[in-house]
Amino acid sequence: MRVSILVYGVLYVVVEVMAAQFAAVGWLRLTALDVATAAANACLTVAVGIALLVGMDVYGHRWRRAMVAWREERARLDAESWEEPATITVSSWRPEPLALPAGPSSWHSATRDHAVPSRDPAPGGDYAVPARGRPFPEEPGRLL
């Protein structure tokens, strides 16, 4: 059905272009050269119309492909922006801890005898607050 409508449209354009040129020349003075000129002009009009339609179709396909590629690129960039950031390593501002002093010599002698020395709890309990002054020292490296 589409092809028949397209053929009738092309024939209508050809007839109208030829009829307009015949009317401009005048029907009484019409020669074979005028008929050939009208037919050539009608074919040129049809050819230009077809070229425009084909050009619009080709441009439409290229535009669609470009839009699909653009949307895929945007989706890829959006997906990359949602990835988790990598771990950031930060160097410590504190100095390296000092080496621990060697334990009492009684420890070594106690392990030889297979007995563990008993440790007495700190005087005043683990969390004793001094009677005077601040409850915690303010010296660097000594804070909890």
Side-chain angles (χ1 to χ4, degrees):
M1 171 122 179
R2 290 178 134 188
V3 175
S4 62
I5 291 175
L6 185 64
V7 169
Y8 287 132
V10 168
L11 286 176
Y12 178 76
V13 168
V14 169
V15 169
E16 283 295 319
V17 169
M18 290 178 73
Q21 285 195 348
F22 293 158
V25 171
W27 287 98
L28 297 175
R29 294 181 297 149
L30 191 61
T31 63
L33 184 60
D34 292 329
V35 173
T37 303
N41 288 341
C43 289
L44 179 65
T45 303
V46 169
V48 168
I50 290 173
L52 286 174
L53 289 174
V54 168
M56 287 187 340
D57 186 48
V58 168
Y59 179 73
H61 285 294
R62 291 185 80 183
W63 182 78
R64 276 187 221 106
R65 277 188 274 147
M67 288 304 296
V68 166
W70 180 76
R71 286 183 186 135
E72 287 174 356
E73 179 70 16
R74 296 285 298 174
R76 186 184 61 80
L77 291 175
D78 288 343
E80 285 179 1
S81 68
W82 285 102
E83 290 180 0
E84 291 293 323
T87 303
I88 300 173
T89 56
V90 179
S91 59
S92 176
W93 55 270
R94 295 182 181 183
E96 290 293 323
L98 299 174
L100 295 175
S105 61
S106 63
W107 171 263
H108 296 291
S109 63
T111 54
R112 274 185 265 140
D113 298 336
H114 302 291
V116 178
S118 63
R119 294 191 181 183
D120 296 330
D126 288 341
Y127 298 104
V129 177
R132 57 184 167 77
R134 296 183 55 98
F136 298 104
E138 290 292 328
E139 299 168 14
R142 306 256 334 233
L143 298 176
L144 295 177

